[in-house]
Amino acid sequence: MKYCGIDAASKRSQFCVIDGEDERIWEGPVEMSEASIKKALKWLKKEKLSCVVETGSSSEWLCKVMESLGHKIVIIDARKAKAAVNSRGKKTDRTDARSLAHICRTGFYTAVHRKSDKSRELRSKMTARSVVQK
């Protein structure tokens, strides 16, 4: 089994893939487009990853892309993961992705509830309505 930590950002995210022995297999920045992610993970062939990404604005979109490629991905609570991520030295996108991959391998994380597309759409409409009313 291979494990992946993704430090997600709006334009370019940092990926880190490790094996069961916590050895880095691959890491690097990937543009945030479905085509770029697919191309970056092409080397896996049919092997599937178990991934984690912290809560954020692009997390749900990233989950949909990774799941469409057959990978398992979990969104984890960023506040609870912060202690583990910050304890591994200097904070960079690369070290964050490495820490997230390690968290994925150990299973030491708190997953957040993923809302349905319908629920997120309704929330967006309610927010827009509230703004218009104000």
Side-chain angles (χ1 to χ4, degrees):
M1 174 62 87
K2 291 187 175 44
Y3 305 91
C4 180
I6 306 169
D7 185 41
S10 59
K11 294 183 180 181
R12 180 180 289 172
S13 294
Q14 184 73 26
F15 282 61
C16 179
V17 177
I18 62 173
D19 63 16
E21 303 298 317
D22 207 22
E23 295 293 322
R24 271 187 307 250
I25 296 170
W26 177 83
E27 67 182 344
V30 179
E31 297 295 323
M32 287 296 279
S33 73
E34 189 169 354
S36 295
I37 293 170
K38 194 175 198 176
K39 183 177 178 183
L41 299 177
K42 188 178 182 180
W43 62 272
L44 285 165
K45 298 190 182 2
K46 294 185 180 203
E47 192 169 1
K48 301 304 176 195
L49 296 172
S50 180
C51 308
V52 297
V53 62
E54 292 177 310
T55 52
S57 58
S58 58
S59 300
E60 191 60 44
W61 175 85
L62 185 57
C63 284
K64 289 189 178 296
V65 171
M66 293 300 285
E67 288 170 342
S68 75
L69 297 173
H71 304 294
K72 178 186 170 216
I73 185 164
V74 176
I75 300 175
I76 65 172
D77 187 331
R79 292 171 295 186
K80 290 183 180 178
K82 185 177 182 183
V85 170
N86 288 345
S87 68
R88 293 180 65 112
K90 186 177 177 183
K91 183 171 173 26
T92 65
D93 293 345
R94 178 180 276 175
T95 58
D96 284 357
R98 288 177 183 174
S99 295
L100 290 170
H102 178 72
I103 288 170
C104 182
R105 185 182 70 81
T106 61
F108 191 68
Y109 56 80
T110 302
V112 299
H113 172 72
R114 289 177 58 190
K115 295 178 180 141
S116 67
D117 290 339
K118 188 174 182 176
S119 177
R120 281 195 315 281
E121 182 182 344
L122 181 59
R123 170 63 67 186
S124 294
K125 288 178 181 177
M126 289 170 57
T127 302
R129 180 178 184 267
S130 177
V131 170
V132 169
Q133 286 178 330
K134 288 180 183 177

